[in-house]
Amino acid sequence: MKRIVIIIWIFLPLVMPAKNQSKLFEKANHFYQTKNYEKAIKLYDSIIHSGYISAPVYFNLGNAYFKLGKYPMAILHYEKAKKLAGDQEDIDFNLRFSKQFISDKIEPIPELMLFRLWNQMVNKRSSEGWAILGIIFFWITLFFFSWMILFRKIWIKKTNLAFGLLFFVLFIFTLVFSWKRAAIESRYDYAIVMTPATSVKSAPDDESKEIFIIHQGIKIQLFEKVQDWQKIRLADGKTGWIKIDDYLVI
Amino acid sequence: MYMRIIILFLFVSFSYGKVWAQSFTVNPAATKMGLNQNMQVDFVAEGSNISEFKPPVFGAFNVLSGPRQSSMTTNFNGKITESYTFTYILQPTVKGKLTIGAASVKINGKVYKTNPVTIEVTDAPQNQQSGRNNPQNQPNNQSVNVKDNILIKAFVSNENPYQGQQIILIYKIYTAVQVVNYQRPIPKLDGFWVQQENIPQSPQGSEEMLNGKKYTVATIYKSYLFPQKDGENIIKPIDMEIVVRVKSKRSSPFDDFFNNPFFDSPFGYEDIKTKVTSNAIKVRVKSLPTNKPPYFSGMTGNFNFSVKADKTKVKTGESITLKAQVNGQGNIKLIEPFELDLPADIEKFEPTTKENISSTGDLVSGSKTFEYLLIPHKEGDYTIPSMSFSYFDPTKGRYITLNSDEIPISVALGSDKYHTQPQGVEQSDITFTGKDIQFIRLKPGIFKNSTERYFLTIRYFVLLLIPLILFVLLVIFKQKTDKDKQNIALMKSRRAKIFARKQLKEAGKFMKENKAEAFYLSVSSAFNKYICDKTGIPLSELSKEKIREELMLRQVDESLTAGLIAHLEDCEIARYAPSGAVLSLKEMYERSVELLLILEKQVK
């Protein structure tokens, strides 16, 4: 009996959808489809408040905000979905689409080709997705090693060893990717500006000079906090200080 | 004015007395005053970093002006103190003891409050307090007199219109005295769409009799209203402040002199500010019938509708301008662009809008034109479908739908292919127009606990450990079976001597019975089995070469190996050809026993 419980526990997260939340989700989708976006938002929010999150919930919530014309909120939730699930075609599309409706267009600092490819690879799956893939690769590795041991013929041993090592390298990569993604998923240092227009100051006090102005919907990176001021950086490298109630953290 | 100086003096001395202090005080100019007098009240805050001044509740006082702010910075022994003064001019509305509530301000982050102040308002002006003398300070009897001679009246052209039907709202001033100045009325018109008419500040007056009294009447406000809500809409009364010029009746030695009708000098007149309230108006708005046509524009009035294209024969890449025009009477400003369903090969741009609205007489009329720019990209014959405009006609009391004609368009292939793309517009901008975001996901995915971590959890390690344990078990199992196999071989080699001796003994028996064939068979099998058991070669694989190989590996003398092989050959020859036997059975037996003894010594 105990063994069964343990086995169920090991495989539980792969099969268990929270039933209550699924029902709420369907209801919210229904409201969305009948164009009752406010109610849909309320229901999606109630799922999140109950302590359960998933990329589709954030994605649909973003869509509902988009339909109401609240583009900064839409962008915020698309980014949250992206943070959970990595790069996915529909999330990326809607995020890019929503960004057309905000006033600030920022050219990000270009990254090295290799660095960009690496990031693209890491963001292909969520941390959990990479972990599961890693487990599969590890099983395959040991499978090949087992064949290597069991067979006497030299050439069979050699091919099995080669395949085993190949999958072991893949396993190591997934482990690194999973670790990288976990770091992305657990960081809270990016935010979306919510105030229609806010001036960015050179120092954390009211009297300091305004350096530039940013508008709602823009993504910022957060650094240190001084009382109710937050040091921020834009994608193009500009830095400054804004009030902490001007943004919502992704 | 001296009051102000006193206040300033007080304030200055105060601030010098307590330079580092932060304070917030209220300074009324007087504690006693007459009903028609005005009074100045100062709120003085000092300290540094003064913010968030919250005005008090003035109760029965009218605020004539304020808050007026003035600030001062004091530098005392290098210590800088700011002070702010918020000044109000107040007018009491009733007699008795009136209270000015507490005001609050934030000084250096801390909230300070003033004490409430009680002012006694009496009937008569208190001479010793009238620090100010301005036109508003007038004896009571004058304003009562003025109020009888001036009226504001509101009129609407139709008190029972349909929703969206235009009506007119007019305010008229009725006066028997000379009006010097008046505030423009700003009526609160909730539930109406308002289009205001410009009325000059000094309008033309006419004479009119009202309740047996002769008044000069002038329209001071006119606007066109379009009711937006059905049901009862009330236009609330407005309060207006009017300054009128009346003959002075102040008792003074010069009174008679200035009242002389022949001496009509401005010295004998004074300007009085008075408050006049208009009447309220109820407008009952009828809702529109429920059988609304599908393309109802929301307009109520009387309209014409036409759609025209500037060209009907074009080449690909050339543009067509399609004009949809509505003209007539009604709230034309609110007409929205028409939906235009076109074939995909004709590109449509957002329409430009032209409005031409005039409000002559009692009706707002005009026209609104939407210009659609169309660019066909492929040749062929197309039709611009009929467009519909529906409105409600209040005089007929029903909906009317106007349909435009369909417009056939024939497109020929343009000569220049570059023209198939509209110039000056970026391709990427076009591809995005009319597109939408991608649809929501219908499956909720895997719900996660928002507080849980998903990297290197126990579960992950367990899932990695399971196959690892299985693998280790496999390795152990494999090693054990290999060992067992070795053990069997060891046992066999140990028992090989015993088996071989037994076999030889049997051969000895056959020798005594003189059974030659059986004898040779057991001798050769004794040696074969012995070598098999010792080396672990299966019996089926045994051959002379193999024996030589295996014995060489075990470092057996070559002469001994050769002797053994020769002996086995002898046995075989003797077995199949008994006549060719060189040695007798007995000699053969003795040699066999000898060979086995030497073998046992050398083979390990």
Side-chain angles (χ1 to χ4, degrees):
Chain A
M1 190 59 207
K2 234 181 185 177
R3 253 180 233 166
I4 293 166
V5 170
I6 288 169
I7 288 165
I8 287 171
W9 169 76
I10 289 166
F11 293 97
L12 202 61
L14 308 177
V15 289
M16 179 202 67
K19 220 175 174 190
N20 219 359
Q21 276 69 22
S22 299
K23 264 187 193 162
L24 278 174
F25 185 80
E26 272 167 30
K27 240 189 197 169
N29 283 358
H30 178 75
F31 279 128
Y32 180 94
Q33 276 160 298
T34 52
K35 299 197 171 15
N36 199 340
Y37 302 117
E38 275 103 350
K39 275 203 175 152
I41 286 172
K42 250 186 206 166
L43 282 184
Y44 289 131
D45 268 338
S46 72
I47 296 173
I48 294 165
H49 285 308
S50 72
Y52 286 89
I53 52 175
S54 81
V57 173
Y58 281 132
F59 176 72
N60 293 3
L61 190 51
N63 271 9
Y65 276 120
F66 181 91
K67 290 287 182 185
L68 288 178
K70 294 179 177 171
Y71 304 116
M73 286 301 270
I75 289 170
L76 175 75
H77 288 98
Y78 291 143
E79 289 277 9
K80 280 189 175 181
K82 223 179 136 172
K83 186 178 159 190
L84 264 191
D87 291 338
Q88 299 204 348
E89 194 260 328
D90 50 354
I91 300 175
D92 280 349
F93 180 88
N94 288 4
L95 182 60
R96 259 185 291 126
F97 199 81
S98 315
K99 278 184 177 168
Q100 295 192 318
F101 295 91
I102 64 167
S103 43
D104 291 328
K105 290 260 186 299
I106 288 185
E107 286 291 318
I109 300 172
E111 287 173 334
L112 279 178
M113 177 77 167
L114 204 68
F115 198 65
R116 209 175 60 232
L117 284 177
W118 172 262
N119 277 344
Q120 268 176 11
M121 196 64 209
V122 168
N123 287 328
K124 277 263 180 319
R125 278 163 193 282
S126 67
S127 162
E128 202 182 8
W130 281 122
I132 290 167
L133 198 66
I135 288 165
I136 291 168
F137 283 165
F138 190 69
W139 285 49
I140 293 172
T141 304
L142 292 184
F143 174 78
F144 278 119
F145 283 168
S146 305
W147 280 105
M148 183 189 77
I149 287 168
L150 288 175
F151 278 89
R152 274 174 159 255
K153 287 220 166 94
I154 299 294
W155 69 269
I156 294 177
K157 273 183 189 287
K158 275 185 177 167
T159 37
N160 276 319
L161 179 69
F163 276 112
L165 286 177
L166 175 73
F167 275 95
F168 188 70
V169 169
L170 289 177
F171 161 70
I172 295 293
F173 268 100
T174 60
L175 196 65
V176 173
F177 290 159
S178 180
W179 168 61
K180 278 270 167 203
R181 273 295 309 174
I184 291 169
E185 283 162 29
S186 59
R187 69 199 297 183
Y188 290 92
D189 61 345
Y190 280 95
I192 301 294
V193 173
M194 287 293 145
T195 317
T198 185
S199 58
V200 182
K201 304 262 188 173
S202 60
D205 62 273
D206 279 312
E207 262 102 82
S208 63
K209 275 190 184 149
E210 170 188 309
I211 320 173
F212 53 92
I213 289 175
I214 51 176
H215 298 92
Q216 56 185 2
I218 199 170
K219 190 179 179 181
I220 52 175
Q221 197 179 353
L222 307 177
F223 293 94
E224 65 262 34
K225 226 180 248 180
V226 174
Q227 284 168 350
D228 54 349
W229 289 88
Q230 173 72 51
K231 189 177 183 184
I232 61 148
R233 188 167 73 184
L234 305 187
D236 61 1
K238 286 198 192 87
T239 59
W241 295 81
I242 62 172
K243 280 268 173 74
I244 51 168
D245 43 11
D246 284 335
Y247 59 82
L248 288 177
V249 177
I250 294 166
Chain B
M1 195 58 211
Y2 70 86
M3 220 46 182
R4 282 199 137 204
I5 294 164
I6 288 170
I7 291 160
L8 201 66
F9 172 71
L10 272 175
F11 153 68
V12 166
S13 59
F14 190 68
S15 62
Y16 266 58
K18 293 178 171 184
V19 168
W20 296 286
Q22 292 163 348
S23 70
F24 186 46
T25 50
V26 57
N27 296 323
T31 53
K32 269 186 167 184
M33 67 188 297
L35 185 60
N36 269 29
Q37 280 184 312
N38 299 329
M39 182 181 66
Q40 177 176 338
V41 180
D42 290 343
F43 294 91
V44 183
E46 62 184 286
S48 57
N49 222 342
I50 294 164
S51 62
E52 289 179 36
F53 172 73
K54 282 192 191 120
V57 178
F58 288 107
F61 286 100
N62 271 346
V63 177
L64 292 180
S65 82
R68 216 166 50 225
Q69 283 185 43
S70 56
S71 67
M72 202 168 87
T73 310
T74 320
N75 191 338
F76 185 80
N77 286 348
K79 197 87 186 172
I80 293 166
T81 310
E82 285 177 80
S83 78
Y84 272 87
T85 308
F86 303 90
T87 307
Y88 285 90
I89 308 287
L90 303 180
Q91 184 184 44
T93 52
V94 287
K95 281 189 285 183
K97 287 197 171 171
L98 306 184
T99 309
I100 299 171
S104 74
V105 77
K106 229 182 202 175
I107 304 172
N108 227 346
K110 214 178 145 191
V111 178
Y112 288 81
K113 277 190 176 175
T114 59
N115 293 324
V117 180
T118 310
I119 310 284
E120 202 183 327
V121 179
T122 56
D123 224 344
Q126 304 281 312
N127 276 332
Q128 70 270 25
Q129 285 162 358
S130 61
R132 296 154 55 83
N133 190 7
N134 59 30
Q136 281 101 333
N137 273 355
Q138 289 309 324
N140 204 12
N141 55 355
Q142 277 284 10
S143 74
V144 171
N145 186 20
V146 167
K147 276 197 174 164
D148 289 340
N149 286 320
I150 194 154
L151 289 170
I152 302 281
K153 286 192 147 227
F155 302 92
V156 288
S157 61
N158 184 353
E159 288 186 4
N160 203 8
Y162 277 105
Q163 199 177 339
Q165 188 185 355
Q166 180 228 304
I167 57 172
I168 302 168
L169 172 68
I170 287 173
Y171 282 95
K172 281 184 177 175
I173 190 164
Y174 286 71
T175 177
V177 288
Q178 192 189 348
V179 174
V180 178
N181 202 355
Y182 65 90
Q183 225 177 28
R184 289 223 176 229
I186 307 161
K188 263 193 144 186
L189 296 167
D190 294 336
F192 294 95
W193 172 272
V194 185
Q195 194 175 325
Q196 197 177 330
E197 184 88 327
N198 267 335
I199 297 279
Q201 178 74 30
S202 42
Q204 286 273 314
S206 60
E207 305 230 308
E208 215 170 284
M209 293 293 285
L210 187 75
N211 298 334
K213 204 169 174 180
K214 202 160 117 188
Y215 287 100
T216 304
V217 182
T219 302
I220 53 168
Y221 176 89
K222 183 178 181 184
S223 65
Y224 302 95
L225 304 183
F226 297 92
Q228 303 293 303
K229 271 196 312 195
D230 54 352
E232 205 174 80
N233 287 281
I234 293 171
I235 300 171
K236 286 181 185 153
I238 54 164
D239 291 331
M240 275 177 67
E241 280 186 351
I242 300 174
V243 181
V244 295
R245 186 161 291 169
V246 292
K247 277 181 184 166
S248 175
K249 280 189 178 170
R250 184 167 292 182
S251 50
S252 77
F254 306 104
D255 201 30
D256 288 338
F257 177 67
F258 283 122
N259 267 343
N260 188 338
F262 297 106
F263 195 80
D264 198 19
S265 90
F267 297 111
Y269 289 85
E270 24 185 4
D271 290 346
I272 299 172
K273 196 175 192 179
T274 183
K275 209 179 222 178
V276 185
T277 304
S278 76
N279 55 319
I281 290 186
K282 249 186 225 169
V283 180
R284 267 208 191 81
V285 180
K286 289 186 273 191
S287 52
L288 299 180
T290 49
N291 57 334
K292 282 180 187 164
Y295 292 102
F296 182 53
S297 58
M299 293 298 115
T300 305
N302 191 12
F303 300 96
N304 287 318
F305 178 54
S306 69
V307 176
K308 275 174 199 157
D310 64 340
K311 285 174 259 179
T312 54
K313 282 184 182 174
V314 288
K315 287 177 178 172
T316 54
E318 289 179 353
S319 65
I320 304 169
T321 308
L322 190 73
K323 279 188 190 175
Q325 190 182 53
V326 179
N327 57 35
Q329 287 122 25
N331 199 357
I332 280 166
K333 266 191 184 165
L334 290 189
I335 297 176
E336 293 197 358
F338 299 98
E339 286 290 317
L340 190 54
D341 273 333
L342 286 176
D345 293 333
I346 299 180
E347 192 175 3
K348 175 182 76 175
F349 290 87
E350 285 298 300
T352 56
T353 309
K354 277 182 197 161
E355 259 176 14
N356 184 12
I357 292 168
S358 59
S359 47
T360 45
D362 294 343
L363 287 171
V364 175
S365 63
S367 67
K368 193 163 190 173
T369 311
F370 300 102
E371 276 190 27
Y372 297 84
L373 184 70
L374 310 180
I375 297 179
H377 287 308
K378 278 188 186 161
E379 70 268 37
D381 289 328
Y382 300 98
T383 312
I384 294 172
S386 161
M387 286 190 254
S388 297
F389 178 73
S390 297
Y391 65 94
F392 182 76
D393 191 330
T395 52
K396 289 175 185 157
R398 61 186 174 86
Y399 293 104
I400 288 172
T401 301
L402 301 172
N403 293 312
S404 70
D405 294 333
E406 290 185 345
I407 301 173
I409 283 178
S410 69
V411 182
L413 188 64
S415 53
D416 195 350
K417 281 217 162 177
Y418 283 106
H419 283 161
T420 52
Q421 284 302 332
Q423 288 167 352
V425 181
E426 271 181 49
Q427 178 85 50
S428 61
D429 285 348
I430 299 162
T431 50
F432 260 128
T433 49
K435 262 200 187 180
D436 195 7
I437 50 170
Q438 294 199 11
F439 193 59
I440 51 168
R441 302 242 187 119
L442 295 173
K443 284 186 180 157
I446 298 161
F447 281 113
K448 294 175 180 180
N449 199 320
S450 47
T451 53
E452 214 171 308
R453 262 167 24 100
Y454 286 92
F455 179 64
L456 299 187
T457 50
I458 299 168
R459 198 177 287 133
Y460 181 77
F461 282 118
V462 168
L463 284 169
L464 287 186
L465 274 177
I466 289 172
L468 198 63
I469 291 166
L470 286 176
F471 180 72
V472 169
L473 284 178
L474 181 80
V475 170
I476 292 167
F477 172 75
K478 170 77 178 159
Q479 273 183 349
K480 220 183 158 221
T481 48
D482 282 358
K483 219 178 183 180
D484 285 352
K485 269 185 194 167
Q486 272 182 355
N487 283 349
I488 289 166
L490 198 70
M491 240 171 38
K492 271 189 178 170
S493 93
R494 269 186 199 150
R495 302 178 76 179
K497 189 167 73 179
I498 301 158
F499 276 116
R501 279 186 183 167
K502 261 190 188 167
Q503 197 83 35
L504 274 183
K505 248 183 198 169
E506 216 167 313
K509 243 191 232 167
F510 290 132
M511 178 190 71
K512 275 171 192 161
E513 287 164 18
N514 215 0
K515 283 180 181 166
E517 204 183 331
F519 170 79
Y520 288 121
L521 190 66
S522 8
V523 169
S524 61
S525 87
F527 279 99
N528 282 342
K529 195 147 186 357
Y530 178 79
I531 288 166
C532 283
D533 285 351
K534 272 288 182 199
T535 58
I537 311 166
L539 195 64
S540 54
E541 283 176 32
L542 200 70
S543 67
K544 274 157 204 152
E545 284 75 40
K546 198 91 188 175
I547 293 169
R548 198 172 282 135
E549 239 175 66
E550 288 290 326
L551 290 181
M552 278 250 281
L553 273 175
R554 284 170 174 75
Q555 292 161 343
V556 175
D557 277 352
E558 258 181 69
S559 56
L560 179 65
T561 312
L564 177 68
I565 287 167
H567 183 67
L568 282 173
E569 270 173 357
D570 284 349
C571 279
E572 248 163 72
I573 291 164
R575 212 171 108 202
Y576 295 110
S579 52
V582 184
L583 298 169
S584 67
L585 289 183
K586 202 175 176 200
E587 278 171 323
M588 205 63 182
Y589 178 72
E590 278 162 4
R591 225 176 107 187
S592 298
V593 174
E594 205 180 330
L595 252 175
L596 190 63
L597 275 171
I598 303 167
L599 264 177
E600 273 172 8
K601 269 181 196 161
Q602 292 212 359
V603 181
K604 269 152 200 159

